[in-house]
Amino acid sequence: GHSHAAGLGIEQGNFPAFAEEINRVAHTMLTPDDFIPEIHADAEVHPSEITESLLNELTSLEPFGRGNQEPVFIVRNFVVNEVFRMGADKQHLKLRLKAEGEVVKDAIRWNAGSLLHSFAIGDKVDVVCKPQLNYFNNRTTVQLMIEDIRHSA
């Protein structure tokens, strides 16, 4: 186990009563707001700030893991330049996002291919992401691994 692990042993015959009681307690303690997911972001940045140089600097914070999470950024008002599905089963969503000054970033959301029709070319979007370097065909580019995405307000 680890410091966040917990265990519980219940005889099978006692499980229905346990489930009823734990649900009763939960209903008295929890509100609908407790079920709204929250995303923690470390900073809000302009798209032009997410550079190869920044990502090289962030490596000084490694190794990432429990207790030292990978940095998460909010980037607002990107414009969708292209949107398509990728992967063997087209299960992933990929967007090319443009910002002022023609800053273009590739952005990927794993297992979100079903969102393809939620975004159209020209839409303004805000993303919560973990930027990373992508090494492909002898080129290094910055890409955004999307944690969440929404239309800009």
Side-chain angles (χ1 to χ4, degrees), residues 85 90-93 109-116:
R85 289 190 285 195
K90 306 293 184 202
Q91 71 273 32
H92 309 303
L93 183 69
R109 175 101 191 245
W110 300 123
N111 299 310
S114 62
L115 295 178
L116 177 69

Side-chain angles (χ1 to χ4, degrees), residues 97-150:
L97 302 174
K98 185 168 74 170
E100 303 164 9
E102 298 300 313
V103 175
V104 176
K105 304 280 189 230
D106 285 345
I108 297 170
R109 175 101 191 245
W110 300 123
N111 299 310
S114 62
L115 295 178
L116 177 69
H117 300 293
S118 299
F119 303 100
I121 294 171
D123 284 355
K124 284 193 171 187
V125 295
D126 302 331
V127 296
V128 176
C129 62
K130 294 178 180 177
Q132 64 180 219
L133 294 175
N134 181 34
Y135 306 97
F136 185 70
N137 281 342
N138 295 321
R139 283 185 52 221
T140 302
T141 58
V142 173
Q143 69 181 9
L144 309 176
M145 307 312 295
I146 298 173
E147 298 289 308
D148 203 4
I149 184 170
R150 70 175 187 191

Side-chain angles (χ1 to χ4, degrees), residues 21-131:
E21 181 63 14
I22 195 83
N23 284 323
R24 186 192 65 72
V25 170
H27 284 294
T28 65
M29 296 178 69
L30 301 174
T31 69
D33 288 345
D34 292 316
F35 296 95
I36 297 172
E38 292 183 2
I39 296 177
H40 170 77
D42 297 292
E44 183 171 331
V45 298
H46 187 273
S48 64
E49 295 176 286
I50 303 176
T51 63
E52 186 174 341
S53 175
L54 171 68
L55 294 177
N56 287 329
E57 288 180 40
L58 291 176
T59 62
S60 68
L61 302 175
E62 293 177 346
F64 298 121
R66 202 177 95 234
N68 186 35
Q69 299 297 313
E70 194 174 346
V72 176
F73 298 103
I74 298 171
V75 188
R76 297 187 195 278
N77 296 314
F78 267 125
V79 176
V80 176
N81 203 38
E82 191 175 351
V83 58
F84 56 94
R85 289 190 285 195
M86 60 178 243
D89 297 320
K90 306 293 184 202
Q91 71 273 32
H92 309 303
L93 183 69
K94 184 169 184 176
L95 302 103
R96 290 214 167 86
L97 302 174
K98 185 168 74 170
E100 303 164 9
E102 298 300 313
V103 175
V104 176
K105 304 280 189 230
D106 285 345
I108 297 170
R109 175 101 191 245
W110 300 123
N111 299 310
S114 62
L115 295 178
L116 177 69
H117 300 293
S118 299
F119 303 100
I121 294 171
D123 284 355
K124 284 193 171 187
V125 295
D126 302 331
V127 296
V128 176
C129 62
K130 294 178 180 177

